[in-house]
Amino acid sequence: MTAVRRRAPADRGPDVTARMVQMSVNANIDDQFVIGVDFGTLSGRALVVRVADGAEVGTAVFDYPHGVIDHVLPATGAELPPDWALQDPNDYREVLRHAVPAALADAGVPADRVIGIGIDFTACTILPTLNDGTPLCELPDLRGEPHAYVKLWKHHAAQAQADRINALAHDRGEPWIRRYGGKISSEWAFAKALQLLEEAPDIFRRTERWIEAADWIVWQLCGRETRNLCTAGYKAIFQDGTYPSSSYLTALHPEFGEIVSKLGQQLSPMGERAGGLTHEAAEWTGLNPGIAVAIANVDAHVTPPAARAIGAGQLVLIMGTSTCHVMNGETLAEVPGMCGVVRGGITPGMWGYEAGQSGVGDIFGWYVEHGVPDEYREGDGGAHARLSALAAEQPVGAHGLIALDWWNGNRSVLVDHELSGVLLGMTLATRPPDIYRALLESTAFGTRMIVEAFTSAGLPVNELVAAGGLISNSFLMQIYADVTRRPLALIGSAQGPALGSAIHAAVAAGAYPNIEAAAAAMGKRSPVVYQPDPERADAYDELYAEYRTLHDYFGRGHNDVLHRLRAIRNRARSAAGLDLVEVAE
Amino acid sequence: MTAVRRRAPADRGPDVTARMVQMSVNANIDDQFVIGVDFGTLSGRALVVRVADGAEVGTAVFDYPHGVIDHVLPATGAELPPDWALQDPNDYREVLRHAVPAALADAGVPADRVIGIGIDFTACTILPTLNDGTPLCELPDLRGEPHAYVKLWKHHAAQAQADRINALAHDRGEPWIRRYGGKISSEWAFAKALQLLEEAPDIFRRTERWIEAADWIVWQLCGRETRNLCTAGYKAIFQDGTYPSSSYLTALHPEFGEIVSKLGQQLSPMGERAGGLTHEAAEWTGLNPGIAVAIANVDAHVTPPAARAIGAGQLVLIMGTSTCHVMNGETLAEVPGMCGVVRGGITPGMWGYEAGQSGVGDIFGWYVEHGVPDEYREGDGGAHARLSALAAEQPVGAHGLIALDWWNGNRSVLVDHELSGVLLGMTLATRPPDIYRALLESTAFGTRMIVEAFTSAGLPVNELVAAGGLISNSFLMQIYADVTRRPLALIGSAQGPALGSAIHAAVAAGAYPNIEAAAAAMGKRSPVVYQPDPERADAYDELYAEYRTLHDYFGRGHNDVLHRLRAIRNRARSAAGLDLVEVAE
């Protein structure tokens, strides 16, 4: 059956006029709901969403009881080495047990109105399990083994393995390395697996499945192992239908060829139904058994449907502590410095591109916490509001400053995590709002570099759509519009990933024929669109030219001082017995 | 008559052993005192000093009633343009009336034990007077004319004139320009005079004497105009016995040749007697008429005798908001980027070299005031003590940072006031003690650049002696020793300039035959000498190499971004009607 409906005007982006949406399954769609669950770094959030129009009718958050395990393993009290970051997989089940019922209660929606559930997760957040899905850390004899736990995305202790993965890939001319900007991250599936093999070979051998937590929690929901194409592509080097070759893997380590059999062989496209909710999971969640469970997703990549931005050339910026840029394209292009490009990575049939800036909100937070007198923290809205208001009074360029936004390295387009921040132009008259503004601008310049990398590679960027926590800062949004010389649209939801997961759930439940249709009906745009001001944009062009020059000077080897300073720092700290723990991305 | 005495061991530098000092005038030298008066930017300080050994027995400070006149002219309430900085000359007389008697009272020394008075002053701080010494601003019809007042050293409104002075000097190949690092400052006598002529030609014409406040206050003391060789050489381009040629000056402005007749024709060497104290000045000060008044001096250049550092190659660092480096040399060398070299500028018979760093303590103060959370301001000794203590715990290089110390431009060796600060290497783990330490280090690197400029020009630097307010920071002093790989000695007085002026007074009074003898007896060293640590020095060599590379990249035109940012800033602020007042040096 089909139903035709129009969405309310306030819920429509300026580029969308009276779009018609086809419904495919239920006539009583107004009474149907789906649930999206967004598994973050510290907590999981459940969101109850109306299938008809994406209305968010209830939500609840549940903090992981064990949070991030990065100092001491709770089971033994043993200290973890630097750069480790683990989680306990049962915490994810606890989210299902607590957040989902609480969200339902918040919504006042009875369970029999819920037709599906979808989830998204941080990635690459990965764990070793048995063939039946039992996490190795839940085996009594492995409870005290750190390597048996979930390795969170920001577990950074596999850098040595990543370095070797990259060096060997370049030596051998592996074709897939170019799809990842020439570098595999230490955060990803193969680096973490190689660390497991090398540091705990027995646990590696007992690992029957090496599985993203995203896929694992879907397994917990529907009782069936599935693997989503998105994480396989972006995090596990699945390209053109295959993982890296056995000869490549065994050259890294004689046993490492084994890893492929522990990964997913049959990958599921985004928006598919993974299975029906099991009785056990129905008990946890209070939902009805048998409702659709969607294939897993990644938080960033599930956001474009929520922002109604899955068309070719719609670049979505998910702006938080870092920024993730995702965009569908119709063709495959090799864009220098991308995090990855995966066919079907965002929606089936398109090439999903991902780029990123490894420090954005984190840099602003660092500055506010460590770089300003307390007077700037007074007043409504705290330091960010106060500094933004003061900085907004300035004409472009009046602070005389330029920053390179590399406090947490540079993900795109330099793919160099060992770069560090640069700030120049300070005088005795420089004040905190000046520096704060320069930091905001530097991240906008970084985004412009990424946009230009796309367009230079022949991939048109037709629209910028921002999502994430930082979109509430209108001053920052205006800077992005001015610096990029493009209108900047905003998602109409504060819960982009959870809404995106709910959209996937609706597709998996058959309420819509595909993600496009569901996104058109359920995705949301803010009525606000930031327009670039031509005069400010001209002024920023001049500053951006300076940014580019410095970017290339410090970032492309003309003066490798930032690497040398880091090496000197590491040597000095090692010699003094100080640890080298970096603040994580 | 002569007297032979030995100074107490605690009062002797490590390099001086049982030196004998010849006294030339009085046997009862233990009962004789001299007074040094140091005229600063905001106040004047009188210091009563024992002739025999330099003991400081009493002191008093008097704040200028009008302070720095940089916003509104008190006589009219009229606003001053940006960059102006005036003073009222009567404030200097008030120092004589108040600070000198108070210092005498503090010392408990009767006036008839005082045999001389000497002064030092900021420079170039200059005023227009009649032939009898009456300041033009004290003429009733000129009381409301800003141009009739003293122009303080940091009056920066003559930059346009300085630019033309420099351009023409280079065009014509004037030989003197090389003695000033290729640049005459807008602060100096000719730039200020040309501004006077161009902006107030009538007042220029009524100016019979264009005289340093230093010489003017000596005139007030002894009733006779004298001109000291030091300010004439460093601030008024008096070189090889002459001022710039009439043809050069008239090429700047048809009437500008007149300026030479308004300057001093007969210059007095340092340490000479200018005359005897007048009855009027005796009444002001409570001193006896007829006692010796010494030729005027500049605060920086009078400090070496107080630090017992007037031998060839003894480089004195006067470290405060900025640092002034002065050193006697036996030969004339053209050292790139010096502020000036003047024969007899410090002591007769030697070439006095001056270099400088335009921001030192000012940068640290800026950071503490505008760059750190309040928690760092808690505890004894305030933020500087706390940040120094925390920073001192780090091994060299452990912060991973490098700064270019150009927050207030670069005086030596780049002679470029339009440069600005650079800081690089920041990560999310960077904390305020890291940045604070990097700022301290950057000024030490700047000093090493100056030391190397001297030695590369063939002028040996045999000893570093620090004076000024910053010497109380032992962490900073150790950094300077480590970075320069040289022992760093300290002056033994907190009142270096006033003590130096008192030493000059003793020479002028005939208590010693020359400055050398007086300095040996009355100058003071701290028992502390900071020794470089070879390991830290090696580590700093590596950072210094990075500093040099960045210094040349940003400072020598490879990337003129700092100038462009300043130009953009000025344009943006002008367009918005904001003023461009820089924080002054």
Side-chain angles (χ1 to χ4, degrees):
Chain A
M1 292 182 69
T2 58
V4 178
R5 63 178 53 255
R6 295 172 69 158
R7 284 160 17 267
D11 197 28
R12 194 181 297 146
D15 56 319
V16 181
T17 52
R19 195 190 291 177
M20 301 305 196
V21 175
Q22 280 214 323
M23 299 290 160
S24 63
V25 174
N26 294 290
N28 58 339
I29 196 169
D30 277 346
D31 290 338
Q32 293 184 340
F33 296 86
V34 279
I35 291 183
V37 188
D38 169 43
F39 289 87
T41 299
L42 293 169
S43 64
R45 168 185 296 276
L47 184 71
V48 184
V49 177
R50 189 159 56 202
V51 171
D53 59 1
E56 299 170 20
V57 298
T59 188
V61 175
F62 183 77
D63 291 335
Y64 302 148
H66 298 91
V68 177
I69 302 170
D70 54 3
H71 282 92
V72 164
L73 196 69
T76 59
E79 266 193 44
L80 294 172
D83 298 329
W84 277 59
L86 306 179
Q87 292 198 317
D88 187 324
N90 193 54
D91 288 355
Y92 310 143
R93 294 192 195 99
E94 294 293 313
V95 170
L96 300 178
R97 288 192 188 101
H98 294 92
V100 175
L104 274 176
D106 182 48
V109 165
D112 58 11
R113 299 273 183 80
V114 178
I115 62 170
I117 183 169
I119 68 99
D120 63 271
F121 226 104
T122 63
C124 165
T125 293
I126 200 159
L127 69 158
T129 74
L130 300 179
N131 276 326
D132 66 359
T134 305
L136 295 197
C137 64
E138 295 185 356
L139 301 179
D141 67 320
L142 294 181
R143 199 74 194 131
E145 289 291 342
H147 271 297
Y149 283 75
V150 178
K151 290 200 172 72
L152 185 61
W153 64 276
K154 68 177 181 175
H155 174 91
H156 283 136
Q159 188 60 53
Q161 285 79 14
D163 291 345
R164 284 163 46 217
I165 285 171
N166 289 318
L168 185 65
H170 287 289
D171 282 356
R172 294 171 47 108
E174 296 291 337
W176 42 262
I177 192 74
R178 294 197 305 274
R179 300 256 173 104
Y180 301 96
K183 264 188 200 171
I184 299 303
S185 167
S186 72
E187 293 179 5
W188 295 354
F190 278 87
K192 280 171 169 156
L194 187 54
Q195 188 200 9
L196 173 61
L197 169 57
E198 296 184 335
E199 297 182 7
D202 288 346
I203 298 176
F204 179 83
R205 285 170 206 138
R206 290 174 70 176
T207 299
E208 293 171 348
R209 313 304 301 149
W210 181 240
I211 186 168
E212 285 279 348
D215 292 322
W216 180 82
I217 198 72
V218 165
W219 194 350
Q220 302 303 296
L221 285 165
C222 70
R224 172 176 167 250
E225 179 186 351
T226 57
R227 301 288 188 128
N228 76 86
L229 195 148
C230 178
T231 49
Y234 291 105
K235 311 299 177 187
I237 323 183
F238 187 85
Q239 289 287 351
D240 300 328
T242 181
Y243 294 104
S245 68
S246 171
S247 69
Y248 166 81
L249 295 170
T250 52
L252 283 169
H253 186 288
E255 268 185 71
F256 202 46
E258 301 295 316
I259 188 64
V260 169
S261 68
K262 305 174 198 284
L263 294 169
Q265 305 310 310
Q266 195 70 31
L267 302 185
S268 302
M270 312 316 296
E272 276 210 350
R273 185 175 185 277
L277 195 69
T278 64
H279 283 274
E280 187 183 26
E283 264 180 43
W284 295 339
T285 55
L287 297 170
N288 287 347
I291 64 164
V293 177
I295 288 295
N297 219 317
V298 177
D299 44 13
H301 303 75
V302 81
T303 299
R308 285 212 316 269
I310 53 178
Q314 291 184 295
L315 181 67
V316 179
L317 290 67
I318 299 107
M319 302 176 66
T321 54
S322 61
T323 290
C324 190
H325 308 70
V326 290
M327 182 177 89
N328 268 331
E330 281 169 349
T331 54
L332 173 63
E334 274 171 14
V335 187
M338 289 302 99
C339 303
V341 50
V342 173
R343 184 159 178 92
I346 299 169
T347 54
M350 303 284 265
W351 288 93
Y353 291 84
E354 179 190 348
Q357 289 175 267
S358 41
V360 180
D362 263 356
I363 300 176
F364 314 152
W366 171 88
Y367 182 64
V368 159
E369 190 173 349
H370 303 293
V372 302
D374 291 6
E375 60 182 288
Y376 291 99
R377 296 193 187 83
E378 291 158 12
D380 289 345
H384 291 288
R386 182 149 164 69
L387 286 165
S388 294
L390 290 167
E393 294 168 5
Q394 304 179 357
V396 175
H399 52 45
L401 304 173
I402 283 273
L404 295 178
D405 52 321
W406 300 345
W407 267 249
N408 205 16
N410 177 294
R411 199 180 290 158
S412 301
V413 297
L414 296 170
V415 199
D416 186 340
H417 298 295
E418 306 214 319
L419 292 171
S420 47
V422 174
L423 183 62
L424 50 82
M426 289 79 77
T427 72
L428 297 176
T430 301
R431 294 291 174 271
D434 302 329
I435 294 177
Y436 186 77
R437 180 171 180 140
L439 294 176
L440 301 191
E441 290 167 348
S442 73
T443 67
F445 295 143
T447 282
R448 181 164 166 181
M449 291 291 294
I450 289 167
V451 171
E452 292 184 358
F454 278 121
T455 55
S456 300
L459 275 178
V461 174
N462 303 319
E463 189 183 22
L464 300 188
V465 186
L470 293 183
I471 65 172
S472 61
N473 185 331
S474 59
F475 173 55
L476 179 68
M477 294 299 102
Q478 187 61 55
I479 288 174
Y480 272 63
D482 291 338
V483 164
T484 60
R485 306 195 78 114
R486 288 162 186 268
L488 182 72
L490 305 186
I491 192 171
S493 168
Q495 309 300 341
L499 175 59
S501 292
I503 289 172
H504 277 243
V507 176
Y512 296 95
N514 51 40
I515 299 173
E516 286 76 5
M522 298 172 69
K524 286 184 253 173
R525 286 287 180 89
S526 161
V528 176
V529 176
Y530 292 88
Q531 298 295 337
D533 172 81
E535 205 174 310
R536 286 196 301 265
D538 287 348
Y540 275 130
D541 276 351
E542 208 173 348
L543 294 175
Y544 178 67
E546 302 294 350
Y547 177 92
R548 276 194 80 113
T549 303
L550 293 165
H551 175 280
D552 290 353
Y553 178 71
F554 287 114
R556 298 199 194 271
H558 302 291
N559 183 350
D560 247 346
V561 57
L562 299 177
H563 288 127
R564 288 191 298 270
L565 285 176
R566 183 174 292 250
I568 290 169
R569 182 198 71 172
N570 292 352
R571 216 172 54 220
R573 293 185 65 86
S574 291
L578 301 168
D579 70 47
L580 297 177
V581 182
E582 254 328 282
V583 175
E585 293 189 11
Chain B
M1 291 182 67
T2 60
V4 177
R5 65 178 52 257
R6 294 172 67 160
R7 283 162 15 269
D11 196 28
R12 195 182 296 146
D15 57 318
V16 181
T17 52
R19 196 190 291 177
M20 300 304 199
V21 175
Q22 278 212 322
M23 299 290 160
S24 63
V25 173
N26 294 290
N28 57 340
I29 196 170
D30 276 347
D31 290 339
Q32 292 184 341
F33 296 87
V34 279
I35 291 183
V37 187
D38 169 42
F39 288 88
T41 298
L42 293 169
S43 63
R45 170 185 293 277
L47 184 70
V48 183
V49 178
R50 189 156 59 200
V51 170
D53 58 1
E56 299 169 21
V57 298
T59 188
V61 175
F62 183 76
D63 291 335
Y64 302 148
H66 298 92
V68 176
I69 301 169
D70 54 3
H71 282 92
V72 164
L73 196 70
T76 60
E79 267 195 44
L80 294 173
D83 297 330
W84 278 60
L86 306 178
Q87 292 198 316
D88 186 324
N90 194 54
D91 288 355
Y92 309 144
R93 294 192 194 102
E94 294 293 313
V95 170
L96 300 178
R97 287 191 188 101
H98 294 92
V100 175
L104 274 176
D106 182 48
V109 165
D112 58 10
R113 300 273 183 80
V114 178
I115 63 170
I117 183 169
I119 69 99
D120 63 271
F121 225 105
T122 64
C124 166
T125 293
I126 201 159
L127 69 159
T129 75
L130 300 180
N131 275 326
D132 67 358
T134 305
L136 293 197
C137 65
E138 295 184 357
L139 301 178
D141 67 320
L142 294 182
R143 199 75 194 131
E145 289 291 341
H147 271 298
Y149 283 75
V150 178
K151 290 200 172 72
L152 185 61
W153 65 276
K154 67 177 181 175
H155 174 91
H156 283 136
Q159 188 60 53
Q161 286 79 14
D163 291 345
R164 285 164 46 217
I165 285 171
N166 289 318
L168 186 65
H170 286 289
D171 282 355
R172 293 171 48 106
E174 297 290 337
W176 43 261
I177 192 74
R178 294 198 305 274
R179 300 256 173 104
Y180 301 97
K183 264 189 200 169
I184 299 303
S185 167
S186 71
E187 294 179 4
W188 295 353
F190 279 88
K192 281 171 169 156
L194 187 55
Q195 188 200 8
L196 173 61
L197 169 58
E198 295 184 336
E199 296 182 6
D202 287 346
I203 299 177
F204 180 82
R205 286 171 205 135
R206 289 175 69 177
T207 299
E208 293 171 348
R209 314 302 301 148
W210 181 241
I211 185 167
E212 285 277 349
D215 292 323
W216 180 81
I217 197 72
V218 165
W219 194 350
Q220 302 303 296
L221 285 166
C222 71
R224 172 176 167 248
E225 179 185 353
T226 58
R227 301 288 189 128
N228 76 85
L229 196 147
C230 178
T231 49
Y234 290 106
K235 311 299 177 188
I237 323 183
F238 187 85
Q239 289 286 352
D240 301 328
T242 181
Y243 294 105
S245 68
S246 171
S247 68
Y248 166 80
L249 295 170
T250 51
L252 283 169
H253 186 289
E255 268 185 71
F256 202 45
E258 301 295 315
I259 187 66
V260 170
S261 68
K262 304 174 198 284
L263 295 169
Q265 305 309 311
Q266 195 69 32
L267 302 185
S268 302
M270 312 316 296
E272 276 210 351
R273 185 175 185 276
L277 194 70
T278 64
H279 283 276
E280 187 183 26
E283 266 179 40
W284 294 341
T285 56
L287 298 171
N288 286 347
I291 64 165
V293 177
I295 287 296
N297 220 316
V298 177
D299 44 13
H301 303 75
V302 79
T303 300
R308 285 213 314 270
I310 51 178
Q314 290 184 297
L315 181 68
V316 179
L317 291 66
I318 301 106
M319 301 176 66
T321 54
S322 62
T323 291
C324 190
H325 307 70
V326 290
M327 182 176 89
N328 268 331
E330 282 170 349
T331 54
L332 173 64
E334 274 170 14
V335 187
M338 290 301 99
C339 304
V341 50
V342 173
R343 185 159 176 89
I346 299 170
T347 55
M350 304 283 266
W351 288 92
Y353 291 84
E354 180 189 347
Q357 289 174 266
S358 42
V360 180
D362 263 356
I363 301 176
F364 313 151
W366 171 88
Y367 182 64
V368 160
E369 190 174 349
H370 303 293
V372 303
D374 291 6
E375 60 183 287
Y376 291 98
R377 297 194 186 84
E378 290 158 13
D380 290 344
H384 291 289
R386 182 150 165 70
L387 287 165
S388 294
L390 289 167
E393 293 168 4
Q394 304 179 356
V396 176
H399 52 44
L401 304 172
I402 282 273
L404 295 179
D405 51 321
W406 300 344
W407 268 248
N408 204 16
N410 178 294
R411 200 180 291 158
S412 301
V413 297
L414 296 170
V415 200
D416 186 341
H417 298 295
E418 308 215 317
L419 292 171
S420 48
V422 174
L423 182 62
L424 50 83
M426 289 79 77
T427 72
L428 297 177
T430 301
R431 293 293 174 269
D434 303 329
I435 294 177
Y436 186 76
R437 180 170 179 141
L439 294 176
L440 302 190
E441 289 167 348
S442 73
T443 67
F445 295 143
T447 282
R448 181 165 165 181
M449 291 291 294
I450 289 168
V451 170
E452 292 184 357
F454 278 121
T455 56
S456 301
L459 275 178
V461 174
N462 303 319
E463 190 182 21
L464 300 188
V465 186
L470 294 183
I471 66 173
S472 61
N473 186 331
S474 59
F475 173 55
L476 179 68
M477 295 297 102
Q478 187 62 54
I479 288 174
Y480 272 62
D482 291 339
V483 165
T484 60
R485 306 195 80 113
R486 290 163 184 266
L488 182 73
L490 305 185
I491 193 172
S493 168
Q495 309 300 341
L499 175 60
S501 291
I503 289 173
H504 276 243
V507 176
Y512 295 97
N514 52 40
I515 298 174
E516 287 76 4
M522 298 172 70
K524 286 183 256 176
R525 286 286 179 88
S526 160
V528 176
V529 176
Y530 291 89
Q531 299 294 337
D533 172 81
E535 206 174 308
R536 284 195 301 265
D538 287 348
Y540 275 129
D541 276 351
E542 209 173 347
L543 294 175
Y544 178 66
E546 302 294 351
Y547 176 92
R548 277 193 79 115
T549 302
L550 293 165
H551 175 282
D552 289 353
Y553 178 71
F554 287 115
R556 299 200 194 271
H558 301 292
N559 182 349
D560 247 347
V561 57
L562 299 178
H563 288 127
R564 289 191 297 269
L565 285 176
R566 182 174 294 250
I568 290 169
R569 182 198 69 174
N570 291 351
R571 216 172 53 220
R573 292 185 65 86
S574 290
L578 301 168
D579 70 46
L580 298 176
V581 183
E582 253 330 282
V583 175
E585 294 190 8

